[in-house]
Amino acid sequence: MFKNNLSQVYAWLLITPALILMGLFTHIPSFTTLISSFFSTGTKKFPSKFIGFENYELALDDPIFLEAVLNNLWYAVATIIPSVFLAILMALFVDSKIKGRVLVRMAYFTPTILPMIAVSNIWLFFYTPEIGLIDQIAINLGFGSQNWLGDKETVLNCLILITIWKEAGFFMIFYLAALQNIPPELKEAAKIEGASKYYFFRRITFPLLMPITLFVVINATLNSFKLVDHLFILTKGGPDNASNLILYYIYESAFSFLDSSYAATLTVILLLILAIVSIVQFVLFDKRIHYR
Amino acid sequence: MSFIELNDVAKYWGDVKAVEKFNLEIEEGDFVVLLGPSGCGKSTTLRLIAGLESVSSGEIIIDGQNVNNLDPSLRNISMVFQSYALFPHLSVQENIIFGLKVRKVNKEDRETKLASVAEKVGLSKLLGRKPSELSGGQRQRVALARAIINENPICLMDEPLSNLDAKLRHQMRAEIRSLQKDLKITLVYVTHDQTEAMSMADKVVLMNEGEIVQQGKPKILYEEPENTFAAKFIGNPPMNLINLEFDNDNDENFIPIDDEKFFVNKKYVKKTILGIRPEDFEISKKGIKCKISDIDYQGADVVLSLKMGKQAIYARFESKIIDEISDHVFLTWDKKKSHYFDFESGIRDN
């Protein structure tokens, strides 16, 4: 009995540091966010008071927020699918026996190492009208100048392109590791049976990569809602909110408009969206995954 | 013309020799075993026949056709890998019919063949399982089933039994052998286990350092090893190789026993190696006195580790002698069962 108690104490002691950190920086803030979303933002004249779901009603009627949500959904879909696709292609390429593959691997991985702020500055130089790289080439080829980041039609897709460029190399590393875990005999066995490269990929390689794909897709989804650093440098959500994303709007609400309870409300909504998306992905993938 | 021919085949990895001067003929329906220590090039040879590697020089002919540049899938072969190479996410059934699906065999034919093959290898009740839910022996059967379902005339096996326990290995040997005879497959089988080779093969090809040392029926390899390598590799315990000294005065070879000379042969006029199989020794008062250093009791037999002069040898007897021996025995042997090898080259010389 005594011994059992002691091991209980040890167990608690061992998880305490993690528990404290998680509590201080994750669970308590989440909880207080949830609480404050039900209160109004206090000022000197009007102290904070309980207002129930009023903030939520406000959010659902807020055209800027709704636009940010729609933007973000498109942003997620349009970054995840191409970057996963590219990551697999690049991984297959650098997994094959090509000359200088170490260099190629490094080149593919470089965008991942760069901080998003630096990346934004690089791409700002590409996108700048008339003197930017893209426009210089376009003008020399006889096309007109285009304000890539200043045009409501193009701005979001320009940001999407940057994100794909940055993330695909990161995801490639996971796929590469997984590919190298597939025993080469499988390929040989299939080769003897006469399976083409494409057939082998479709029936063997891709299914065996499914656990990685789940991991990557969930990460990419979270990133597409989390990663807004480039907005600060490139567009600040403009023009006319055409590139506004949820997290950036939350930041603006809290620190530019100083409406912290409204920001808390939007945060809770964002958490809900992410939780639902993740659960759906797990359930969808789970049936198709073979874990070794 | 033989069914499979390898003519002067060589394979190099850069400057490193894997296989060289390889000449082999395999008749249709034969069970041929490539035998040798690890790193001797036997697996490489098999992969050359399969087409998973390409030859550096020489030619490989299958059924009259030079297949040097032919894709593996067009060589009419199937292959069983040491690791089985089963697709982990596919069921037993899908693993077995993988090749049929690749070749777009229609569903009815697939089902008929699957049923008959599964019956043959005893997997009928396990078709829905994943490889991870099978035992080692069952996985081995899946690999076998996948190899025979295509009804290719040639099957290549790369150490297929090395991951199984001793009892199962024994059983699978017999099963593979009977499947091969049953389906009249030409089987090329790689192993480092000489017992496996001797018990299964119609023809054993013994290899060392990328070259063929000796090929022939198991009986020939056992009874007439062409050199000391073959003599030492085959047999358990291996053949005793006793270094003989040459006596210039008597023109005769002898075994030095302490200060005495035990003369054995007048035929050779230079230093020679005498080979005797452990079971060819007899106990006799007239023989050479050998000190017993260890007794290895094996049930029906007993293997004695002995010192003949300064040289260590093994002798195998029926285990009933164990009660009659003390710390030494006197050994003789039938002169007709002596093997002689040249001391320098190790080549057979009688």
Side-chain angles (χ1 to χ4, degrees):
Chain A
M1 191 64 202
F2 177 72
K3 202 176 170 189
N4 195 19
N5 275 340
L6 203 63
S7 68
Q8 290 271 331
V9 172
Y10 280 139
W12 279 104
L13 279 177
L14 285 169
I15 59 171
T16 300
L19 213 58
I20 290 174
L21 285 174
M22 291 280 285
L24 275 179
F25 296 109
T26 308
H27 296 124
I28 294 173
S30 307
F31 189 67
T32 49
T33 303
L34 182 66
I35 300 293
S36 57
S37 71
F38 295 115
F39 287 81
S40 63
T41 306
T43 56
K44 268 186 184 160
K45 246 184 185 169
F46 306 102
S48 174
K49 65 169 195 213
F50 183 78
I51 53 167
F53 283 93
E54 209 172 286
N55 275 327
Y56 290 88
E57 284 161 22
L58 203 65
L60 294 178
D61 278 338
D62 181 351
I64 301 177
F65 176 63
L66 294 180
E67 185 168 5
V69 170
L70 285 180
N71 281 345
N72 222 147
L73 289 177
W74 167 240
Y75 181 78
V77 173
T79 53
I80 295 165
I81 295 170
S83 59
V84 167
F85 185 72
L86 261 180
I88 295 179
L89 271 187
M90 295 194 299
L92 286 172
F93 180 59
V94 298
D95 188 44
S96 56
K97 287 172 186 151
I98 49 162
K99 277 185 182 168
R101 64 175 174 179
V102 176
L103 272 179
V104 181
R105 281 179 195 178
M106 266 168 55
Y108 284 165
F109 195 62
T110 311
T112 306
I113 309 167
L114 298 175
M116 201 59 180
I117 302 295
V119 167
S120 304
N121 279 306
I122 296 171
W123 282 83
L124 188 60
F125 165 69
F126 291 167
Y127 284 142
T128 309
E130 296 192 22
I131 54 167
L133 185 72
I134 297 174
D135 261 19
Q136 281 192 35
I137 295 172
I139 289 166
N140 277 324
L141 291 174
F143 297 97
S145 168
Q146 164 78 27
N147 189 354
W148 297 101
L149 296 176
D151 190 328
K152 280 185 74 169
E153 297 295 316
T154 54
V155 62
L156 192 57
N157 290 333
C158 285
L159 295 182
I160 287 169
L161 189 65
I162 299 175
T163 311
I164 295 170
W165 176 84
K166 181 156 172 61
E167 292 204 314
F170 183 54
F171 299 147
M172 175 205 73
I173 292 294
F174 297 105
Y175 279 114
L176 184 58
L179 280 177
Q180 294 184 338
N181 259 329
I182 298 179
E185 292 88 40
L186 296 190
K187 198 171 224 163
E188 292 175 350
K191 205 172 164 189
I192 284 176
E193 303 284 7
S196 67
K197 274 184 181 169
Y198 170 71
Y199 188 88
F200 180 73
F201 178 78
R202 188 167 65 80
R203 285 213 57 205
I204 310 297
T205 314
F206 189 69
L208 288 178
L209 291 177
M210 267 315 219
I212 302 299
T213 304
L214 172 65
F215 171 80
V216 162
V217 166
I218 285 182
N219 262 284
T221 310
L222 295 181
N223 274 350
S224 69
F225 286 93
K226 243 165 48 180
L227 206 66
V228 292
D229 311 19
H230 47 337
L231 292 189
F232 289 88
I233 304 288
L234 293 171
T235 66
K236 301 213 170 3
D240 193 16
N241 294 310
S243 67
N244 209 345
L245 300 177
I246 300 177
L247 192 60
Y248 189 77
Y249 186 54
I250 292 174
Y251 167 83
E252 274 194 319
S253 302
F255 301 105
S256 303
F257 314 146
L258 298 175
D259 190 349
S260 60
S261 355
Y262 188 55
T265 309
L266 298 183
T267 307
V268 172
I269 297 176
L270 175 60
L271 284 177
L272 274 177
I273 295 175
L274 287 181
I276 291 168
V277 171
S278 299
I279 290 168
V280 168
Q281 284 173 340
F282 265 114
V283 172
L284 268 184
F285 272 85
D286 205 41
K287 288 179 197 145
R288 306 157 155 265
I289 287 189
H290 169 83
Y291 290 102
R292 258 179 274 190
Chain B
M1 185 174 260
S2 302
F3 192 50
I4 305 176
E5 281 182 39
L6 280 79
N7 295 329
D8 207 21
V9 166
K11 175 71 184 173
Y12 301 94
W13 309 108
D15 290 337
V16 182
K17 171 181 89 172
V19 177
E20 209 174 55
K21 296 179 215 153
F22 203 96
N23 288 292
L24 177 64
E25 295 190 358
I26 297 171
E27 301 303 329
E28 193 159 7
D30 261 4
F31 194 127
V32 174
V33 172
L34 303 180
L35 174 68
S38 43
C40 74
K42 54 192 190 302
S43 286
T44 306
T45 308
L46 195 76
R47 293 169 61 83
L48 288 172
I49 300 174
L52 294 171
E53 309 288 349
S54 55
V55 297
S56 302
S57 67
E59 55 176 5
I60 297 176
I61 293 168
I62 295 177
D63 203 9
Q65 186 191 5
N66 182 323
V67 297
N68 276 13
N69 298 312
L70 201 63
D71 193 77
S73 60
L74 302 174
R75 295 187 181 196
N76 292 326
I77 51 160
S78 16
M79 186 158 173
V80 176
F81 293 82
Q82 182 174 4
S83 62
Y84 313 142
L86 302 180
F87 304 120
H89 59 298
L90 297 181
S91 65
V92 168
Q93 164 168 345
E94 288 298 318
N95 264 289
I96 296 176
I97 61 173
F98 182 83
L100 299 182
K101 275 197 167 173
V102 171
R103 258 169 258 125
K104 303 204 168 70
V105 174
N106 70 50
K107 199 171 175 207
E108 281 162 33
D109 286 357
R110 281 199 319 244
E111 308 247 298
T112 328
K113 285 183 180 180
L114 174 69
S116 106
V117 167
E119 175 76 41
K120 252 185 209 114
V121 298
L123 283 173
S124 302
K125 287 183 182 145
L126 303 171
L127 291 176
R129 296 228 192 140
K130 294 274 173 68
S132 56
E133 299 161 341
L134 300 178
S135 69
Q138 289 165 340
R139 285 181 208 178
Q140 168 68 63
R141 285 161 197 275
V142 179
L144 272 179
R146 190 172 65 183
I148 60 176
I149 198 167
N150 292 319
E151 293 161 1
N152 282 319
I154 301 170
C155 185
L156 309 174
M157 298 191 180
D158 190 358
E159 310 224 12
L161 304 184
S162 59
N163 293 336
L164 303 181
D165 62 59
K167 195 179 164 199
L168 203 53
R169 207 180 302 164
H170 200 82
Q171 182 191 341
M172 289 305 290
R173 259 191 235 158
E175 283 189 31
I176 290 178
R177 178 83 186 150
S178 80
L179 264 181
Q180 183 259 340
K181 290 290 167 227
D182 213 29
L183 304 171
K184 300 183 177 62
I185 300 170
T186 308
L187 188 63
V188 186
Y189 186 107
V190 161
T191 182
H192 61 263
D193 180 347
Q194 48 110 6
T195 328
E196 218 167 279
M198 301 302 273
S199 64
M200 295 171 91
D202 294 318
K203 179 180 188 177
V204 175
V205 179
L206 179 63
M207 295 179 66
N208 188 31
E209 295 182 350
E211 291 176 35
I212 296 180
V213 174
Q214 185 174 1
Q215 49 176 302
K217 290 203 168 86
K219 190 168 144 70
I220 300 291
L221 262 82
Y222 192 75
E223 290 177 359
E224 291 169 31
E226 274 174 23
N227 56 30
T228 48
F229 178 83
K232 268 192 298 190
F233 198 83
I234 290 169
N236 185 27
M239 183 185 280
N240 295 298
L241 296 174
I242 301 161
N243 290 326
L244 302 180
E245 300 290 333
F246 188 65
D247 186 294
N248 287 313
D249 301 337
N250 290 316
D251 264 1
E252 184 164 0
N253 275 291
F254 66 90
I255 305 173
I257 307 289
D258 299 331
D259 293 333
E260 289 176 53
K261 296 175 176 178
F262 191 91
F263 290 97
V264 286
N265 201 305
K266 269 195 176 332
K267 187 176 150 198
Y268 301 98
V269 293
K270 56 182 178 186
K271 252 181 108 171
T272 299
I273 294 171
L274 167 66
I276 303 167
R277 290 272 174 213
E279 64 272 23
D280 290 339
F281 284 115
E282 286 159 30
I283 294 181
S284 156
K285 287 264 154 57
K286 290 176 289 181
I288 302 175
K289 184 177 175 183
C290 299
K291 199 165 165 287
I292 298 175
S293 49
D294 193 28
I295 298 174
D296 184 4
Y297 179 75
Q298 297 182 343
D301 289 349
V302 59
V303 174
L304 304 181
S305 304
L306 302 157
K307 278 274 157 87
M308 182 179 272
K310 287 194 170 122
Q311 308 191 51
I313 60 165
Y314 294 103
R316 181 190 287 278
F317 299 105
E318 285 180 32
S319 49
K320 64 186 177 198
I321 64 128
I322 209 162
D323 298 326
E324 299 158 17
I325 54 180
S326 53
D327 63 341
H328 63 270
V329 286
F330 293 92
L331 294 185
T332 60
W333 60 93
D334 185 349
K335 292 288 181 290
K336 274 182 257 161
K337 289 180 177 169
S338 305
H339 308 255
Y340 292 99
F341 303 96
D342 183 79
F343 186 81
E344 301 295 332
S345 64
I347 292 171
R348 185 180 185 84
D349 193 11
N350 66 317

